[in-house]
Structures are given as structure tokens and as C-alpha cells.
Amino acid sequence: MHRRPVTLVTVCVGVHAVRMDQKSSPEPVPSWIPASGHALRHTGVHFDAVRMGGVLGEQVAYEITQFTDFLAGPIVRSWIGERSTYFLLPPRSAAAYAWPPGARLMGRDARCDAFVGVPALDGHTWPLDWRSRPTGEAPYVDPGLLHELTLGVLKSV
């Protein structure tokens, strides 16, 4: 019988270190989230992404977090350039929708390879931060809901 290896994580608490079993932790951290800082992740592997710039991204992020009672799934903000918002969806799910102008599909089904910056959950992550974090209940943003709310926001402007 083959046993799966157990991965242990060391967490610093004050001056003491505690070992914690990830499988029994209340909210395991997805493997694609870096432990510190931020890292580029290839879209289509761990997630697809839809990028929206400026006010559109902020408005859609606001709408989806309100609609889901703050359990929208992973949404990353960039604080440089046009201040893009990245909605992280299940891998190979975003291409099923016709995204309107202002919402750009970033996945393996897109016309080019793309990378998205992903911040750590804590610590110094500038210029990226979480608008909404992944949770056990919402490991990804729901692509159908995101598409519907994006169309609704665009109709209202």
C-alpha cells in the first residue's frame, strides 16, 4: 500500500515555531499562491483569468463581492499602470464565454501565453493585492456569474 506524503508547513507565532498539517488546517492555501511577495503564474495551468482595467474592473469586483456576500473567489488588483483587476477562474473555463470589450480572457485557450501576478496572502506584496481571496467555499470566481455581472455593469454605463 502506497501512502501519500504529508506536507507540513512551519508557521512562526511570536518567537515560537509551530508545525501544522496542511490537510487538517481550516483553509489550506492553494499551491499557486506564493508564501511571500508575489509570483507570476502561467494562465491555464492553475487558473484562467479575465482582466479588466480601471473603473470597470473595480465596479465588477464590487458587484460580484456584494452578490456573493464577500465570497467571490480570487480577485487580484494591480496598483500600477491602468490599475487592472484580475478575476481568477477555474482552468479552461473562461473560453466558454464571449467576453465583451474591456474584459480580456487570459488562458491557454486565448491566442497567446499569458502570466498573471499573484500576491502572497500576507506581507509586502505591492504592487499587487487581494480584492477577494480564494476560500474553501470559493476557490475560484464563478465564470458565468462574472460574465453576467460584467455585461450588467457595461449596460449601466
Side-chain angles (χ1 to χ4, degrees):
M1 178 171 127
H2 295 285
R3 293 184 130 192
R4 295 181 80 173
V6 175
T7 304
L8 295 176
V9 175
T10 301
V11 179
C12 289
V13 181
V15 293
H16 304 288
V18 179
R19 297 199 91 180
M20 181 172 63
D21 178 5
Q22 282 184 321
K23 292 187 190 248
S24 64
S25 298
E27 288 287 334
V29 177
S31 63
W32 46 268
I33 296 178
S36 63
H38 47 78
L40 290 176
R41 298 294 187 231
H42 195 195
T43 58
V45 176
H46 299 289
F47 53 79
D48 281 358
V50 173
R51 181 179 73 194
M52 296 181 207
V55 176
L56 174 62
E58 280 298 318
Q59 185 63 39
V60 172
Y62 173 81
E63 295 293 334
I64 201 166
T65 55
Q66 293 296 307
F67 188 85
T68 60
D69 199 24
F70 298 93
L71 291 172
I75 303 171
V76 175
R77 283 189 294 202
S78 173
W79 289 100
I80 57 174
E82 68 172 326
R83 296 189 176 194
S84 296
T85 304
Y86 298 86
F87 299 84
L88 307 185
L89 309 147
R92 300 192 182 265
S93 66
Y97 300 88
W99 296 97
R104 181 171 178 237
L105 163 65
M106 301 175 73
R108 287 224 169 150
D109 298 328
R111 294 187 176 137
C112 63
D113 284 338
F115 294 82
V116 171
V118 176
L121 293 177
D122 297 302
H124 182 69
T125 63
W126 190 88
L128 304 173
D129 74 356
W130 291 102
R131 178 70 165 81
S132 174
R133 295 174 178 223
T135 65
E137 289 180 60
Y140 298 103
V141 173
D142 179 277
L145 179 60
L146 177 63
H147 186 257
E148 181 180 335
L149 290 174
T150 301
L151 293 175
V153 168
L154 286 170
K155 282 182 184 176
S156 68
V157 289

